Amino acid sequence: MKKTILTGIRPTGRLHLGHYYGATKNWVTLQEDYDSYFEIADVQALTDNFNNPDKVRANVREIAIDLLAIGINPNKSTIFIQSMIPEIAELTIFYSNLVTMSRLYRNPTIKTEISQKKALFGNNGEGVTYGFVGYPVSQAADITAFKGNLVPVGEDQLPLLEQCREIVRKFNSIYGDTLVEPEAFLSKSKRVKGLDGNEKMGKSLGNAIYLRDSQEDISKKVMSAVTDPNKIKKDDPANPDVCMVYYYHNLVESDNLNTICEECKKGARGCVQCKKELINSINKILDPIKEKAKYYEDNPEVVDKILLDGTKRAREVAKRTMKNVKKAIKIDYDE
Ligand code: TRP
């Protein structure tokens, strides 16, 4: 029997290279070996976008298009919409009894996010909602509804996974062995830096290259990338380790990586030339993705059908889990 992987993504914007190299490229490989569930986490997205439902709504299809375009195969994997699986919300309620308030407030990921969202939650988090503090419980429901064995995530998600594991252990110890305890499946690739040298590529930081950016936009963004500040003239030797252009050549695995590095160190390559080569490397990766995306953009009904079919399959699995959970909690009145 294949093991099950379950992971999710919040539909708050299109995918960029940070998502791609940080996570989703890996999902494409994993779907070959695992029973794979990819959740479009619209309920979770609403926890900090409850005042902007249009954004979440619009991005559900955009994320689906991006996932299909990078090679998530709907015949091998299940892509589904979180809000269309009411069993996830139901599980969340039962799990919420097994989590203390102090434990939720101590979650490092939640703490960081609250401090980053001052406009929404107040300067000292005084306006934080029940739903937001509780989203790790809902995420535990996402994972366990599908009996996920492995959860491919980045390091920032580890506290959420730990919370899920605690809930599972507590549930199983009180009600009997029912839920599967998942393990994190850390992706090898780490956080992707921005072309501006920022530690993270992100929408809110304005330094992201989106998978469906036009060639013109990609050129503009790469041309403005930060290079070694000590290199003034074209033939000054430079340090590739402090250059974002080299960092990206490395990330996208440009063909002549060693040559680029050596020439840069010797002062045998100008930054403009180097940026042009990077633009070519990025286009080589993104052109086919964009072409595939174009098909789905032109045929949105195909995308919607894939989402509805996936959600239907996923719901069958969640229903089975729900049945076991109700039996374990002794609220299976109709059995
Ligand atoms: N919290 C995840 C993120 O922000 C998204 C997510 C939702 C998720 N449900 C999940 C990740 C279940 C792993 C498993 O990226």
Side-chain angles (χ1 to χ4, degrees), residues 266-325:
K266 282 195 306 218
R269 90 175 3 239
C271 294
V272 172
Q273 174 60 24
C274 196
K275 286 174 173 174
K276 285 192 176 144
E277 289 176 20
L278 176 60
I279 292 166
N280 280 338
S281 300
I282 294 178
N283 283 335
K284 230 160 79 185
I285 290 161
L286 295 188
D287 283 349
I289 292 178
K290 280 187 267 184
E291 197 180 313
K292 223 169 148 194
K294 175 90 173 53
Y295 165 76
Y296 292 109
E297 288 165 357
D298 293 343
N299 296 280
E301 70 287 351
V302 174
V303 182
D304 293 351
K305 171 115 179 22
I306 289 171
L307 285 175
L308 292 181
D309 287 350
T311 303
K312 208 165 151 191
R313 281 205 302 276
R315 186 155 186 213
E316 288 311 312
V317 181
K319 275 184 179 166
R320 283 202 294 279
T321 304
M322 198 64 236
K323 213 169 179 174
N324 295 337
V325 161

Side-chain angles (χ1 to χ4, degrees), residues 62-91:
E62 295 304 328
I63 288 284
I65 291 175
D66 281 332
L67 291 177
L68 294 166
I70 64 169
I72 299 293
N73 180 342
N75 298 318
K76 289 182 181 158
S77 303
T78 302
I79 309 176
F80 68 96
I81 302 176
Q82 184 186 17
S83 64
M84 293 184 78
I85 316 265
E87 287 74 18
I88 294 175
E90 218 177 330
L91 288 171

Side-chain angles (χ1 to χ4, degrees), residues 6-10 39 41 44 135 139 142-143 151 153 157 160:
L6 174 297
T7 191
I9 187 155
R10 297 183 190 187
E39 175 186 271
Q44 190 177 112
Y135 93 69
Q139 186 156 319
D142 294 342
I143 298 166
V151 184
V153 282
Q157 294 287 308
L160 290 154

Side-chain angles (χ1 to χ4, degrees), residues 76-276:
K76 289 182 181 158
S77 303
T78 302
I79 309 176
F80 68 96
I81 302 176
Q82 184 186 17
S83 64
M84 293 184 78
I85 316 265
E87 287 74 18
I88 294 175
E90 218 177 330
L91 288 171
T92 304
I93 292 183
F94 298 123
Y95 295 172
S96 68
N97 293 328
L98 310 176
V99 184
T100 63
M101 294 306 292
S102 68
R103 181 69 182 83
L104 289 175
Y105 275 123
R106 262 191 287 124
N107 187 312
T109 307
I110 299 295
K111 270 190 175 154
T112 311
E113 286 180 332
I114 292 173
S115 70
Q116 285 166 349
K117 297 172 199 292
K118 294 194 164 41
L120 197 60
F121 296 143
N123 279 335
N124 301 304
E126 64 281 3
V128 73
T129 59
Y130 163 66
F132 189 79
V133 182
Y135 93 69
V137 185
S138 155
Q139 186 156 319
D142 294 342
I143 298 166
T144 53
F146 306 97
K147 302 193 163 42
N149 303 106
L150 294 169
V151 184
V153 282
E155 254 175 57
D156 64 310
Q157 294 287 308
L158 289 181
L160 290 154
L161 202 75
E162 200 41 49
Q163 179 69 78
C164 173
R165 288 160 58 88
E166 282 175 30
I167 291 173
V168 169
R169 289 198 292 266
K170 193 151 184 189
F171 188 104
N172 287 345
S173 78
I174 298 174
Y175 305 116
D177 234 354
T178 312
L179 303 174
V180 174
E181 186 172 335
E183 271 172 59
F185 200 41
L186 271 183
S187 50
K188 275 171 265 135
S189 36
K190 26 157 190 53
R191 167 166 290 186
V192 176
K193 294 185 192 172
L195 280 165
D196 55 357
N198 197 299
E199 277 308 305
K200 191 181 170 190
M201 174 180 276
K203 184 177 43 181
S204 52
L205 299 163
N207 61 0
I209 293 182
Y210 292 91
L211 301 187
R212 285 186 267 159
D213 269 351
S214 65
Q215 292 195 348
E216 296 73 54
D217 284 342
I218 293 168
S219 289
K220 261 191 239 147
K221 289 176 183 179
V222 172
M223 282 302 173
S224 71
V226 170
T227 53
D228 182 348
N230 292 320
K231 177 166 170 131
I232 316 280
K233 294 194 301 305
K234 192 174 149 206
D235 47 6
D236 284 342
N239 176 6
D241 293 337
V242 299
C243 174
M244 294 321 294
V245 178
Y246 182 68
Y247 171 90
Y248 270 80
H249 271 301
N250 204 354
L251 183 76
V252 304
E253 299 174 46
S254 290
D255 292 334
N256 40 353
L257 209 54
N258 283 336
T259 320
I260 295 173
C261 185
E262 290 315 311
E263 287 181 356
C264 173
K265 284 182 182 161
K266 282 195 306 218
R269 90 175 3 239
C271 294
V272 172
Q273 174 60 24
C274 196
K275 286 174 173 174
K276 285 192 176 144

Side-chain angles (χ1 to χ4, degrees), residues 15-29:
L15 295 186
H16 53 61
L17 287 180
H19 298 118
Y20 185 59
Y21 286 102
T24 55
K25 184 170 186 272
N26 201 24
W27 300 358
V28 179
T29 321

